[in-house]
């Protein structure tokens, strides 16, 4: 029983560490790029497709300045 508990604890730690290694600088660069497609090129369908692809790699992380998940929901 202790071995199973130790294994599950180790697995939890490994999975938790893996999530924290996402580089949100790249994420925000992509959000800026998608926002430009939506606002300046006026191509909302392309922006939605790119948001879907981005959200598969990174969980949405809206902040005061970027409300990408809200924009995604409004566009789709």
């Amino acid at each position: 029983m202790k071995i199973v508990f130790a294994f599950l604890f180790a697995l939890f730690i490994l999975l938790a560490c893996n999530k924290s290694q996402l580089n949100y600088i790249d994420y925000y660069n992509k959000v800026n790029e998608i926002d430009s497609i939506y606002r300046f090129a006026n191509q909302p369908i392309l922006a939605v497709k790119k948001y879907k692809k981005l959200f598969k790699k990174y969980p949405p992380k809206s902040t005061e300045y970027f409300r990408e998940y809200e924009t995604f929901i409004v566009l789709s």
Side-chain angles (χ1 to χ4, degrees), residues 33-44:
E33 180 183 317
I34 295 169
D35 192 50
S36 296
I37 290 171
Y38 169 60
R39 293 179 190 268
F40 300 118
N42 198 17
Q43 296 180 353

Side-chain angles (χ1 to χ4, degrees), residues 17-74:
C17 291
N18 191 17
K19 296 272 185 195
S20 66
Q21 292 183 11
L22 292 174
N23 186 354
Y24 275 95
I25 294 173
D26 292 337
Y27 172 77
Y28 284 120
N29 285 337
K30 290 287 185 184
V31 167
N32 283 331
E33 180 183 317
I34 295 169
D35 192 50
S36 296
I37 290 171
Y38 169 60
R39 293 179 190 268
F40 300 118
N42 198 17
Q43 296 180 353
I45 295 173
L46 180 61
V48 167
K49 288 179 184 178
K50 290 198 175 259
Y51 271 130
K52 281 184 184 180
K53 187 176 177 182
L54 182 69
F55 292 155
K56 286 180 183 176
K57 185 173 181 182
Y58 298 96
K61 189 173 182 176
S62 291
T63 63
E64 184 178 328
Y65 301 108
F66 298 104
R67 300 193 185 279
E68 61 274 0
Y69 198 60
E70 179 183 331
T71 304
F72 171 73
I73 291 171
V74 168

Side-chain angles (χ1 to χ4, degrees), residues 1-11:
M1 186 67 166
K2 289 182 182 179
I3 294 172
V4 172
F5 180 70
F7 176 74
L8 290 175
F9 182 72
L11 184 63

